[in-house]
Amino acid sequence: REEASQLWRLPTTGGPPRRVAGVMASFDAASWSPDGGRIAYMHEGDVFIASPDGSDSHKIATVPGYGWCPRWSPDEKLLRCSMEDPKTGGSMIYEVAPDGSNLHRLFSGWNASPDEGNGFWTPDGKYFLFLSSHGGSVTNTWAVREKSDLLRRADRVPVQLTSGAANIWDATPSKDGKRLFTIAGNPR
């Protein structure tokens, strides 16, 4: 587990960093809402939302273990975060509405030994991608379809996107959502 740290905003165009007043977040445990109007952050298992300057910070939920990687849906109607199960050491993904309602685990029963985390949506919100070592010892990228359209319906069964001998450590989609960039390797 990581110690909580102060959260700072760094302007991309230059200038001094600014402290997000009163916000202490765990490592890899903060993200901007798509419109830039809110920050979701985690400290241990508590999920918070605050204004960009740190004001109006309030807890919306508590997951049953150490949490990280809160991610907003593109329409800002959902937050998903990763959580370490204190009993097994495995990880799982939880979902909650920004008002704190409907907290629940995703993919329950899909993986006999839960190991899902570091999820994110494609920019159009059609897919949610995450990392898992489901069915093997190597971590790969998986996806679930979130939205239906004329030709396809939303299917909540994860589909494996990457396959290889190296673990995927992190992934992010391109801005147009047509490519996936990954960081992969094997510890030696």
Side-chain angles (χ1 to χ4, degrees):
R1 291 195 167 86
E2 297 284 332
E3 297 268 335
S5 300
Q6 296 177 348
L7 192 61
W8 292 76
R9 292 179 299 152
L10 299 167
T12 56
T13 56
R18 298 201 189 283
R19 171 106 165 77
V20 180
V23 172
M24 299 292 285
S26 303
F27 176 74
D28 192 22
S31 68
W32 288 98
S33 61
D35 72 357
R38 296 179 287 179
I39 299 171
Y41 68 97
M42 300 187 75
H43 181 249
E44 295 294 327
D46 294 329
V47 184
F48 297 86
I49 292 179
S51 298
D53 64 359
S55 64
D56 192 32
S57 177
H58 57 283
K59 181 169 81 169
I60 63 163
T62 299
V63 294
Y66 176 81
W68 72 96
C69 204
R71 299 294 180 252
W72 294 87
S73 61
D75 63 6
E76 299 185 22
K77 292 182 180 178
L78 296 172
L79 279 166
R80 290 184 180 160
C81 63
S82 303
M83 188 221 58
E84 179 183 30
D85 184 340
K87 295 176 186 164
T88 67
S91 59
M92 50 196 85
I93 299 172
Y94 272 74
E95 177 180 275
V96 65
D99 66 3
S101 65
N102 199 22
L103 175 67
H104 63 278
R105 181 179 160 204
L106 294 180
F107 317 121
S108 183
W110 172 70
N111 199 350
S113 178
D115 190 20
E116 297 91 44
N118 297 33
F120 55 92
W121 274 271
T122 55
D124 60 9
K126 286 184 182 178
Y127 296 92
F128 182 74
L129 286 71
F130 62 95
L131 305 181
S132 178
S133 61
H134 179 77
S137 60
V138 175
T139 302
N140 282 293
T141 308
W142 294 74
V144 291
R145 186 164 184 84
E146 292 284 315
K147 293 183 178 180
S148 298
D149 60 25
L150 230 49
L151 302 174
R152 296 181 200 119
R153 66 179 184 85
D155 188 355
R156 304 300 293 170
V157 178
V159 174
Q160 188 172 340
L161 296 183
T162 61
S163 179
N167 284 306
I168 305 293
W169 299 110
D170 204 359
T172 191
S174 60
K175 284 189 176 195
D176 63 8
K178 294 181 180 181
R179 284 180 245 139
L180 181 67
F181 299 98
T182 64
I183 299 172
N186 287 317
R188 300 209 189 274

